[in-house]
Amino acid sequence: MKILISGASIAGPVLGYWLTRSGFDVTVVERAPHLRKTGGHAIDLFGPAMDIAEQMGVLDQVMAHATGTHRITFRRVGGGRPTHIDYGRLSSAISARHVEIMRDDLSQIFYDAGRADIEYVFGDHLTAIDPNGRVTFAGGASRTFDMVLGADGLHSGVRQLVFGPDSGHTEFLGAHLCVVSLPKSFVAAGEMTGYVDVDRTAMIYTADHLDDARAVFLFRPTSGFVYDHRDTAGQQRQLTERFTGLSAEVDGWLDQVAGAPAFYFDAITQLQLTSWSRGRVTLVGDAGYCPGPAVGGSTSLAVIGARVLAGELAAAKGDHTVAFPAYEGIMRAPVLGARELAKSVARSILPSSPLGAWAFIAGMRLVTTLPRPMTDALVRLNRKGIRLYDSIEIPAYSATTPGTLTLSDGVRGNSSTTRTDTGT
């Protein structure tokens, strides 16, 4: 049985890894000419997603690429002395098992884990998908697949092709995110530092294995703010206008923006589909249920969703009419919980008043200074809040290897199939 996955960032490679181990013939198409290296930002991998990485045999690599942040230093505009936060204590309050890693590093690790068993097609994308599984590629070729799985992010092309008017069912969470690559000399290794102000926050960090630092800007737009997602120069001007004067240090960061080797800018938008399956097509990760970039733990949700989808397809012996509803049923509660958590986080990390800025920093300082037994007791009661991602339960799927599982309805092991890897 042939399965096409669109997208080779996080969910796509994880999904492909597990599908091939259940005997499916997997092709992954990626619009970029090679595995994306966009500069990106640090993401959090929480307990269940860490378990999946361990089952894939890549946990040691994940841990080796941890950012190594051990302290966060906050400064409030006009707020006096800086506040230092023990990041280890903070992260342990958020999750019992957790790592912070650069998104590009995690993508490479998951890609390498399964690339030998997957056909990767880079530099192409889908322009049409018919109900019978026949797809047309931008490069002109047409092929037929038993299923098409969209793992191509918040701006998913698969979703736009198949879901029509429903594909744009989103909610703006009131803020914009920008990540910029800056010289590493701007920040000390192991520390994230920056400024919290009313409706805007600017932070910077690096990691030992990075050649640069990453500045992260979060802000609420002013009245009448409009941006063109294709106009990078315009975005850079808008960012500079919004943050100039926050501090002399941040002004120095802004001086580097125009020549930055990597620049990411987007609205923090939450996808709110009520269902993410149509016929032979389903969506996974941000393509189907992005809770909001930088505020909703979307990477862990994508890893978990990919594992559940692969597990349900194997359990249903490739019958998508059984597997897709089961997958949605298992993921619905985590997705709805992530949406609510993301809205709460979006409000808290961008204070709307000077008092709110003080309360935000004081709250994090409190978490890291309370006796650990008290902190642990409090967070265990918060399964729908900061411990949401640790609380997601995943069915115990069997881990098979290519060629060892014989399935009915045309699904069979394919370890003898020669696959073409056009990745780098």
Side-chain angles (χ1 to χ4, degrees), residues 323-370:
F324 289 177
Y327 157 62
E328 292 201 19
I330 293 168
M331 292 300 299
R332 189 165 307 282
V335 167
L336 294 177
R339 288 179 187 172
E340 293 306 311
L341 178 59
K343 291 178 182 179
S344 175
V345 171
R347 289 191 296 267
S348 65
I349 63 175
L350 281 176
S352 58
S353 68
L355 178 60
W358 174 86
F360 169 68
I361 296 173
M364 287 204 291
R365 183 171 53 200
L366 180 64
V367 168
T368 63
T369 56
L370 282 174

Coordinates of all heavy atoms in Angstrom, one line a residue, residues 323-370:
A323 N -9.1 3.8 10.4 CA -7.9 4.4 11.0 C -8.1 5.9 11.3 O -7.8 6.5 12.3 CB -6.6 4.2 10.2
F324 N -8.6 6.6 10.3 CA -8.7 8.1 10.4 C -9.7 8.5 11.5 O -9.3 9.4 12.3 CB -9.1 8.7 9.1 CG -8.1 8.7 8.0 CD1 -8.4 9.2 6.7 CD2 -6.8 8.2 8.2 CE1 -7.4 9.2 5.7 CE2 -5.8 8.2 7.2 CZ -6.1 8.7 6.0
P325 N -10.9 7.9 11.6 CA -11.7 8.3 12.8 C -11.1 7.9 14.1 O -11.3 8.7 15.1 CB -13.0 7.5 12.5 CG -13.0 7.2 11.0 CD -11.6 7.1 10.7
A326 N -10.4 6.8 14.2 CA -9.8 6.4 15.4 C -8.7 7.4 15.8 O -8.5 7.8 17.0 CB -9.2 5.0 15.3
Y327 N -7.9 7.8 14.8 CA -6.8 8.8 15.0 C -7.4 10.1 15.6 O -6.9 10.7 16.5 CB -6.1 9.0 13.7 CG -5.4 10.3 13.5 CD1 -4.3 10.7 14.3 CD2 -5.7 11.1 12.4 CE1 -3.6 11.8 14.1 CE2 -5.0 12.3 12.1 CZ -4.0 12.6 13.0 OH -3.3 13.8 12.7
E328 N -8.5 10.6 14.9 CA -9.1 11.8 15.3 C -9.7 11.7 16.7 O -9.6 12.6 17.6 CB -10.2 12.3 14.4 CG -9.6 12.7 13.0 CD -10.6 13.6 12.2 OE1 -11.5 14.2 12.9 OE2 -10.4 13.7 11.0
G329 N -10.3 10.5 17.0 CA -10.8 10.3 18.4 C -9.8 10.4 19.5 O -10.1 11.0 20.5
I330 N -8.6 9.8 19.2 CA -7.6 9.8 20.2 C -7.0 11.2 20.4 O -6.6 11.7 21.5 CB -6.5 8.8 19.8 CG1 -7.0 7.4 19.9 CG2 -5.2 9.0 20.7 CD1 -6.1 6.3 19.3
M331 N -6.8 11.9 19.3 CA -6.1 13.2 19.3 C -7.1 14.4 19.7 O -6.6 15.5 20.0 CB -5.5 13.5 18.0 CG -4.3 12.6 17.6 SD -3.0 12.7 18.9 CE -2.5 14.4 18.7
R332 N -8.4 14.2 19.6 CA -9.3 15.3 19.8 C -9.1 16.0 21.2 O -9.0 17.3 21.2 CB -10.7 14.9 19.7 CG -11.7 16.1 19.6 CD -13.1 15.6 19.1 NE -13.0 14.9 17.9 CZ -12.8 15.5 16.7 NH1 -12.7 16.8 16.6 NH2 -12.7 14.8 15.6
A333 N -9.1 15.3 22.3 CA -8.9 15.9 23.6 C -7.6 16.7 23.7 O -7.6 17.8 24.2 CB -9.1 14.9 24.7
P334 N -6.4 16.1 23.3 CA -5.2 16.8 23.4 C -5.2 18.1 22.5 O -4.7 19.1 23.0 CB -4.1 15.8 22.9 CG -4.7 14.5 23.2 CD -6.2 14.6 23.0
V335 N -5.8 18.0 21.4 CA -5.9 19.2 20.5 C -6.7 20.3 21.1 O -6.3 21.5 21.1 CB -6.4 18.8 19.1 CG1 -6.8 20.0 18.3 CG2 -5.4 17.9 18.3
L336 N -7.9 20.0 21.6 CA -8.7 21.0 22.3 C -8.0 21.6 23.5 O -8.1 22.8 23.7 CB -10.1 20.4 22.6 CG -11.0 19.9 21.5 CD1 -12.2 19.3 22.0 CD2 -11.3 21.1 20.6
G337 N -7.4 20.7 24.3 CA -6.6 21.2 25.4 C -5.5 22.1 25.0 O -5.3 23.2 25.7
A338 N -4.8 21.8 23.9 CA -3.7 22.6 23.5 C -4.2 24.0 23.0 O -3.5 25.0 23.2 CB -2.9 21.9 22.3
R339 N -5.4 24.0 22.4 CA -5.9 25.3 21.9 C -6.2 26.2 23.1 O -5.8 27.4 23.1 CB -7.2 25.1 21.2 CG -7.1 24.4 19.8 CD -8.5 24.2 19.2 NE -8.4 23.5 18.0 CZ -9.5 23.0 17.3 NH1 -10.7 23.2 17.8 NH2 -9.3 22.3 16.2
E340 N -6.8 25.7 24.2 CA -7.1 26.6 25.3 C -5.8 27.0 26.0 O -5.7 28.2 26.5 CB -8.0 25.8 26.3 CG -9.4 25.6 25.7 CD -10.0 26.8 25.3 OE1 -10.0 27.8 26.0 OE2 -10.5 26.9 24.1
L341 N -4.8 26.1 26.1 CA -3.5 26.4 26.8 C -2.8 27.5 26.0 O -2.3 28.5 26.5 CB -2.7 25.2 26.9 CG -1.3 25.4 27.5 CD1 -1.4 26.0 28.9 CD2 -0.5 24.1 27.5
A342 N -2.8 27.4 24.6 CA -2.2 28.4 23.8 C -2.8 29.8 24.0 O -2.0 30.8 24.0 CB -2.2 27.9 22.3
K343 N -4.1 29.9 24.1 CA -4.7 31.2 24.3 C -4.3 31.8 25.6 O -4.0 33.0 25.7 CB -6.2 31.0 24.2 CG -6.8 30.7 22.8 CD -8.3 30.5 22.9 CE -8.8 30.1 21.5 NZ -10.3 29.8 21.5
S344 N -4.2 30.9 26.6 CA -3.8 31.4 27.9 C -2.3 31.9 27.9 O -2.0 32.9 28.4 CB -4.0 30.3 29.0 OG -3.4 30.7 30.2
V345 N -1.4 31.1 27.3 CA 0.0 31.4 27.2 C 0.2 32.7 26.4 O 0.9 33.6 26.8 CB 0.8 30.3 26.5 CG1 2.2 30.7 26.3 CG2 0.8 29.1 27.5
A346 N -0.6 32.9 25.3 CA -0.5 34.1 24.4 C -0.8 35.3 25.2 O -0.2 36.4 25.1 CB -1.4 34.0 23.2
R347 N -1.8 35.2 26.1 CA -2.2 36.4 27.0 C -1.1 36.7 28.0 O -0.7 37.8 28.3 CB -3.5 36.1 27.7 CG -4.7 36.1 26.7 CD -6.0 36.1 27.5 NE -6.1 34.9 28.3 CZ -6.8 33.8 27.9 NH1 -7.3 33.8 26.7 NH2 -6.9 32.8 28.7
S348 N -0.5 35.6 28.6 CA 0.4 35.8 29.7 C 1.8 36.3 29.3 O 2.4 37.1 30.0 CB 0.5 34.6 30.6 OG 1.1 33.5 29.8
I349 N 2.3 35.8 28.2 CA 3.7 36.2 27.8 C 3.8 37.6 27.2 O 4.9 38.1 27.0 CB 4.3 35.1 26.8 CG1 3.5 35.1 25.5 CG2 4.4 33.8 27.5 CD1 4.1 34.2 24.5
L350 N 2.6 38.2 26.9 CA 2.6 39.6 26.4 C 1.8 40.4 27.3 O 0.6 40.6 27.0 CB 2.2 39.6 25.0 CG 3.2 39.3 23.9 CD1 2.5 39.3 22.5 CD2 4.4 40.2 23.9
P351 N 2.3 40.8 28.4 CA 1.5 41.6 29.4 C 0.9 42.9 28.8 O 1.5 43.5 27.9 CB 2.5 42.0 30.5 CG 3.6 41.0 30.3 CD 3.7 40.7 28.9
S352 N -0.3 43.2 29.2 CA -1.0 44.4 28.6 C -0.9 45.6 29.5 O -1.5 46.6 29.2 CB -2.5 44.0 28.4 OG -3.1 43.6 29.6
S353 N -0.1 45.5 30.6 CA 0.0 46.6 31.5 C 1.4 46.5 32.2 O 1.9 45.3 32.3 CB -1.1 46.7 32.5 OG -1.0 45.6 33.4
P354 N 1.9 47.5 32.8 CA 3.1 47.4 33.6 C 2.9 46.4 34.8 O 3.9 45.7 35.1 CB 3.4 48.8 34.1 CG 2.8 49.7 33.1 CD 1.5 49.0 32.6
L355 N 1.8 46.4 35.4 CA 1.5 45.5 36.5 C 1.5 44.1 36.0 O 2.0 43.2 36.6 CB 0.1 45.8 37.1 CG -0.3 44.9 38.3 CD1 0.7 44.9 39.4 CD2 -1.7 45.2 38.8
G356 N 1.0 43.9 34.8 CA 1.0 42.5 34.2 C 2.4 42.0 33.9 O 2.7 40.9 34.1
A357 N 3.3 42.9 33.5 CA 4.7 42.6 33.2 C 5.4 42.2 34.5 O 6.1 41.2 34.6 CB 5.4 43.8 32.6
W358 N 5.1 42.9 35.6 CA 5.7 42.6 36.9 C 5.2 41.2 37.3 O 5.9 40.3 37.8 CB 5.3 43.6 37.9 CG 5.7 43.3 39.3 CD1 6.9 43.5 39.9 CD2 4.9 42.6 40.3 NE1 7.0 43.0 41.2 CE2 5.7 42.4 41.4 CE3 3.6 42.1 40.3 CZ2 5.3 41.8 42.6 CZ3 3.2 41.5 41.4 CH2 4.0 41.3 42.6
A359 N 3.8 41.0 37.2 CA 3.2 39.7 37.7 C 3.8 38.5 36.9 O 4.0 37.4 37.4 CB 1.7 39.8 37.5
F360 N 4.0 38.7 35.6 CA 4.5 37.6 34.7 C 5.9 37.2 35.2 O 6.1 36.0 35.4 CB 4.6 38.1 33.3 CG 5.3 37.1 32.4 CD1 4.8 35.9 32.1 CD2 6.5 37.5 31.8 CE1 5.5 35.0 31.2 CE2 7.2 36.7 31.0 CZ 6.7 35.4 30.7
I361 N 6.8 38.1 35.4 CA 8.1 37.8 35.9 C 8.1 37.2 37.3 O 8.7 36.2 37.7 CB 9.0 39.0 35.8 CG1 9.2 39.4 34.3 CG2 10.4 38.7 36.4 CD1 9.9 40.7 34.1
A362 N 7.3 37.8 38.2 CA 7.2 37.4 39.6 C 6.6 36.0 39.7 O 7.1 35.2 40.5 CB 6.3 38.3 40.4
G363 N 5.7 35.6 38.8 CA 5.1 34.3 38.8 C 6.1 33.2 38.4 O 6.2 32.2 39.1
M364 N 7.0 33.5 37.5 CA 8.0 32.5 37.1 C 9.1 32.4 38.2 O 9.6 31.4 38.4 CB 8.6 32.9 35.7 CG 7.7 32.6 34.6 SD 8.6 32.4 33.0 CE 9.1 34.0 32.8
R365 N 9.4 33.6 38.8 CA 10.4 33.5 39.9 C 9.8 32.7 41.0 O 10.6 32.0 41.7 CB 10.7 35.0 40.3 CG 11.8 35.0 41.4 CD 12.2 36.5 41.6 NE 11.0 37.3 41.9 CZ 11.0 38.6 41.7 NH1 12.1 39.3 41.3 NH2 9.9 39.3 42.0
L366 N 8.6 32.8 41.3 CA 8.0 32.1 42.4 C 8.1 30.6 42.2 O 8.4 29.8 43.1 CB 6.5 32.5 42.6 CG 5.7 31.8 43.7 CD1 6.3 32.1 45.1 CD2 4.2 32.2 43.7
V367 N 7.8 30.2 40.9 CA 7.8 28.7 40.6 C 9.2 28.2 40.8 O 9.4 27.0 41.3 CB 7.4 28.5 39.1 CG1 7.8 27.1 38.7 CG2 5.9 28.8 38.9
T368 N 10.3 29.0 40.6 CA 11.6 28.5 40.7 C 12.2 28.7 42.1 O 13.3 28.2 42.3 CB 12.5 29.2 39.7 OG1 12.6 30.6 40.0 CG2 12.0 29.0 38.3
T369 N 11.5 29.3 43.0 CA 12.0 29.5 44.3 C 11.2 28.8 45.4 O 11.7 28.6 46.5 CB 12.0 31.0 44.7 OG1 10.7 31.6 44.6 CG2 13.0 31.8 43.8
L370 N 10.0 28.3 45.1 CA 9.3 27.5 46.0 C 10.0 26.2 46.3 O 10.7 25.7 45.4 CB 7.9 27.2 45.5 CG 6.8 28.3 45.6 CD1 5.6 27.8 44.8 CD2 6.5 28.6 47.0

